[in-house]
Every structure is written in C-alpha cells, then in structure tokens.
Amino acid sequence: MTNIGDVARHLGVSRSTVSYALSGKRPVSTEMKARIDAAIRELDYWPSAAGLSLATSRRNIIGLLAPLGENATPSVALQFVDGVARSSRTHGFDTLLVTGREAFEGVERLVRAGVVDGLVALDVENADPRLAELEGASLPAVLLGQPARPVQLDTVDMDWEVAGATLVRHLAELGHRRALVLGAPEAAYTMEMTYAVRFRAGVTRAASEADVEITEIPVGNDFSASLTKIHDALVGHNDVTGVIVQHEAAAAPLLAAAGALRLRIPEDLAVAGITLDVVDHALGRPLTGVGNPSVAMTRTAVDLLVERIVHADAVLPPRAVVVDGGGELIDRGTTAPAPHAAAQRRR
C-alpha cells in the first residue's frame, strides 16, 4: 500500500513537504502542490482522513448533496458521485453522501452539526432552494451547475447552451433540416435543472439560426417506455433525418428503435449527442457529439472547495468555472450527410 513516504521519494522531496501540502499547515508553492497532486493520483495514494483531522482540527469530510431524483440517470449521477469521492480522497478528505429530500432540506442541519468541512451540491436548479442557505452558511460550498442568478459561491459546469448549439449546427452543416431532440426527463424541466434549460436554449437558438425544424421529446430512464416513445416519434415524424440525444439513457432505446425500423445509423439516421467522458456502454453506442466532462468538473469543484477549506482566512471572490467540453465535437461515426429522401420506410 502506498504511503506518504512513497510519494515523497517519488518526487525527491521530504515527507514534511508532502504533509504540509495535504494539510495546509504551512505554505507550499503552487508548482509543488500541483506536482504532489499529480504524484498522488499516479501512485494511487489515499491519505488518511483521520490522521489529517488530528493534525488540522478539521473533520476532513466533504458533504456531497446529491438528490438523485427523477431527472437523474443513475449511472450518470453515480459517475459524478464517484468523481467527487475520488477527488476528495486525493486531498485526504472522506465524503458524506446526502441524498433525496435531505440533499435540499438538510443544509442547515449539516452546518449546525459540524460534521463536514464544506459542501458540494449536485442537481442545481435555476432558482435552487439551497442557494440562500449555502450562501449564508459558515462553511464553504461549491455548486456543480450554474443557476440563473449570480451567486456568492464557486460554481463549476460545462457550457450546456454551447453544447446544444454545437450539435444542431453539426447536423445542419450535414444538410439535416428535420431533427428530433431526445431531451431530459420532464422533471428536469419542471424543476428548471440548469443543464436542461440551458441545453434547450442553445438548441432553440441554433435551430432558428440554421433553419432546422426541431421536435423535442422528453425521455425518462425506463427503457421500455422510452423505446415505445422513440419508436412512435420516428414513425410519426418520418421526414426526420437526424436525432440529438441530450439524455444519455435515451441512446440505448433509440438504437433499439432504429433497428426495429431498419434504419441504418448514420446512413438513414444521423445521431449526435452528449456522451460522458467515462463512457458507459450500458447506455448504448458512444455517439458523435460533445463530451460531458464529469471527471474534470468534479475534480475542479473539489479543488476549489479544498482551497477554501484549507485557506479559510483567505478572501477569495466567487469563481465561476466553465470546464471545456461543450463546444468540441468528437466524431464517433454516428453522423453522416442527410439522405436525399427521408425514409418512407417507417411504418
């Protein structure tokens, strides 16, 4: 098992230098801190949260507010949970997972109980009910999502508007003029989840500019229900030549529906969408499109939070970080130029 001495020897520095970088008890240069963080990841070193807690008087626990509600695809949500937990461990912090309604209603209790040093919030809404409590809390907090109003909190997200617009423009450049959008579950729009409303805004704007007619279909996580809904949509809109997938769980039923209708991808039906950077093949074939950079977002969120925890006396303005991913198109072979005639084949 890797220990702090192994990390020090790997870098050719003293154990105390590594210890100070982890605990924040003494200043360590930004360059050295980056080298130590990289070595910890490379060597898979897991600092002892208990030991650091004794050394610093902190709990060395990060609270993760993850509602995991109707809008969430379990395998996608768990990649964000896993990302926060792994990134926290590299800093010597354990993770307390808070789910369900408690992820919205338990902020005050967590702060008052003193069981965590800081909070990361997932599933952020445009007018998130947690904002006021998180902004007024005595603990630092980071949002994985960008609400509608400016907040006195650090935020980390990808640019969902750019992502939506990028996918529409890609299909438009290939000659597609009618497309389905397999959007987030209805609950995501009802709750005004930031990723859902921003993606929709980007799609709507780009479709208007590129003269692409869009039909949006919210899709949930139930495979059979989604399969039926997508199959019926393809039959009912038989002039559609392209599909945009926002909701990752829609990819597998889409492929099944296309197969049942004998639609070849990409020759008959071009498919572009959002794909997690850590590809989950249970969600279907990886799609041409833009990446959802869960690893980079969770790592950045935890880095910002730990910086505020370790340097509690520092005066830092709120930081809004947009992680690259939304604007870069990745070609995975699921799009092609629009066919001359949409398939009269769908019956």
Side-chain angles (χ1 to χ4, degrees), residues 4-21 28 32 36:
I4 195 170
D6 296 324
V7 176
R9 281 190 293 274
H10 180 76
L11 294 171
V13 300
S14 67
R15 289 173 60 100
S16 60
T17 298
V18 179
S19 177
Y20 293 149
V28 174
M32 177 55 69
I36 290 170

Side-chain angles (χ1 to χ4, degrees), residues 317-337:
R319 295 162 291 185
V321 179
V322 178
V323 175
D324 290 340
E328 180 182 355
L329 193 84
I330 305 165
D331 185 358
R332 294 193 175 97
T334 61
T335 59

Side-chain angles (χ1 to χ4, degrees), residues 110-191:
L110 282 171
V111 174
R112 195 168 56 238
V115 294
V116 298
D117 300 302
L119 296 164
V120 175
L122 300 183
D123 284 354
V124 176
E125 301 173 15
N126 255 356
D128 201 292
R130 298 170 290 188
L131 294 181
E133 281 189 303
L134 290 172
E135 287 177 307
S138 57
L139 297 178
V142 177
L143 306 179
L144 267 168
Q146 179 62 59
R149 71 169 176 83
V151 291
Q152 297 302 305
L153 298 164
D154 292 333
T155 61
V156 179
D157 206 353
M158 66 178 277
D159 195 324
W160 286 99
E161 285 193 46
V162 168
T166 297
L167 296 177
V168 172
R169 291 187 187 118
H170 175 62
L171 291 184
E173 288 166 3
L174 292 172
H176 297 275
R177 289 293 173 264
R178 288 282 288 109
L180 294 179
V181 175
L182 305 183
E186 286 283 6
Y189 300 109
T190 301
M191 299 165 67

Side-chain angles (χ1 to χ4, degrees), residues 202-219:
V203 165
T204 301
R205 172 171 50 82
S208 175
E209 294 170 351
D211 193 26
V212 175
E213 186 177 341
I214 293 293
T215 300
E216 184 184 86
I217 303 171
V219 180

